[in-house]
Amino acid sequence: MAPVSEMDIDLLLTLDALLQDRNITHAAARLGISQPALSARLARLRTLFGEPLFIPSPHGRGVLPTPRAEALKPQVESVLRGISAMFAPTAFDAKTSTRTFVIALHENPALMLGTGLLNQAGAAAPGIRLRFALPEMAELPQQLENGDVDIYIGVSAGAHDGWVRRKLLDDAFATAQRKGHPRGTGALDLESYCALSHLVVSSAGDPFTGFVDQTLAGLGHQRHVAMSTQSYAMAPALVAGTDLVCTLPERMLRQFASTLDIFPPPLPLQPITIYMYWHPKNSRDPASVWLREQLLEAAGRQV
């Protein structure tokens, strides 16, 4: 048996054309080559298979396949279909997909995007599932490369240089208090702001000091931080049930506007930009493109 490496696509196409046309002239025209070139390919096929494969028709022009050649026809067609399928673009049908998408993100962007993304993506693709996972930054490069995570959403700090990114949204900071807070709803000056009891969301370093405190220190002020939590999701409920105030990303706080009064903080705070990141190998993957489009639309609805 001849080694598979000796069979190339040109020989397969020649065999297929001869099986269909049973005529060297017509088969050569189908392949766009000369008759001598086709005859040379047929000679190679005969050597590989160790038999004639086609013989001249005794009743006129053309050739007749031998039983061996006839038996090869469905196999040749199957191989050529498989090769053609290799070049077909990968398809993603949102309406019928049952894929699970994994998005790594912290609570803040999850609270801002989760409801809108699920409602929107669920309407377009009722069979898909979404999984929000807290990012493990040390593991994230491998997870994105392996496909264990489809998208990472976060700020630029800690992002890998090799990932592709696109901005999802910009967000300012706001201060929130419970409705019916004893101080009223008037604008806060810096002195009054610092005199209130504050809740801080902190996951690293001093749990009672955050970027707001650093900004205040630069202005020569200090606030009273009475409580600290690691959870963005917990903060609105704690503020809504106490006289504490908090200063957090505005879009996240707007999700809880029914129980909170929200107003500008009396100090300049640098806005944050949230990006989505993905592995470059997925840039053209239809499913990944679809997910990114859903995220962009969900982020746009939060404006």
Side-chain angles (χ1 to χ4, degrees):
M1 179 181 293
V4 174
S5 59
E6 294 186 29
M7 175 64 77
D8 59 34
I9 186 66
D10 288 339
L11 294 184
L12 279 172
L13 291 170
T14 297
L15 187 52
D16 180 62
L18 285 169
L19 285 166
Q20 292 189 61
D21 294 323
R22 303 190 179 201
N23 183 292
I24 289 178
T25 301
H26 294 167
R30 177 190 291 270
L31 296 173
I33 61 175
S34 66
Q35 290 186 46
L38 188 136
S39 296
R41 291 184 185 180
L42 178 56
R44 287 181 60 198
L45 284 166
R46 286 168 169 165
T47 300
L48 285 174
F49 284 94
E51 76 123 81
L53 294 177
F54 297 90
I55 62 171
S57 172
H59 302 296
R61 299 171 62 184
V63 292
L64 295 177
T66 65
R68 175 74 186 282
E70 285 281 15
L72 289 171
K73 186 174 182 179
Q75 298 175 47
V76 171
E77 291 174 348
S78 176
V79 170
L80 290 175
R81 281 197 303 271
I83 293 173
S84 295
M86 288 173 57
F87 294 95
T90 305
F92 175 74
D93 186 351
K95 292 182 180 179
T96 60
S97 176
T98 58
R99 177 166 171 168
T100 297
F101 290 101
V102 181
I103 302 173
L105 74 176
H106 291 288
E107 285 181 309
N108 175 30
L111 288 167
M112 287 192 287
L113 297 170
T115 301
L117 177 62
L118 181 60
N119 289 338
Q120 172 189 304
I128 65 111
R129 297 191 299 179
L130 296 174
R131 178 174 173 246
F132 283 5
L134 288 173
E136 301 176 33
M137 298 308 292
E139 307 295 329
L140 202 51
Q142 194 65 47
Q143 290 172 333
L144 283 168
E145 184 173 315
N146 293 344
D148 296 327
V149 170
D150 294 291
I151 295 279
Y152 164 59
I153 296 175
V155 296
S156 59
H160 196 280
D161 289 341
W163 299 339
V164 185
R165 82 174 187 182
R166 182 164 179 180
K167 185 172 80 172
L168 272 178
L169 53 90
D170 292 312
D171 198 8
F173 285 90
T175 298
Q177 65 184 31
R178 69 175 175 89
K179 289 189 178 297
H181 193 283
R183 79 158 197 94
T185 57
L188 272 175
D189 58 30
L190 198 53
E191 295 289 345
S192 300
Y193 176 83
C194 292
L196 292 168
S197 293
H198 292 255
L199 169 72
V200 167
V201 177
S202 177
S203 58
D206 183 348
F208 293 95
T209 301
F211 72 98
V212 172
D213 301 280
Q214 296 167 5
T215 303
L216 286 170
L219 298 172
H221 289 266
Q222 183 177 358
R223 63 177 177 170
H224 172 57
V225 178
M227 188 172 188
S228 174
T229 177
Q230 290 186 316
S231 171
Y232 277 94
M234 192 181 297
L238 290 170
V239 171
T242 66
D243 288 340
L244 296 173
V245 298
C246 66
T247 300
L248 295 171
E250 182 177 8
R251 294 192 186 196
M252 188 275 286
L253 289 173
R254 292 289 174 196
Q255 307 293 315
F256 306 93
S258 61
T259 58
L260 300 176
D261 290 324
I262 301 167
F263 46 90
L267 70 161
L269 297 172
Q270 188 70 27
I272 58 171
T273 300
I274 294 177
Y275 301 90
M276 59 177 169
Y277 297 86
W278 64 92
H279 195 281
K281 73 175 186 177
N282 292 327
S283 288
R284 298 189 178 212
D285 174 58
S288 183
V289 170
W290 179 85
L291 177 60
R292 298 196 299 268
E293 290 172 348
Q294 300 304 304
L295 282 165
L296 285 168
E297 189 168 339
R301 289 183 178 180
Q302 294 297 315
V303 174

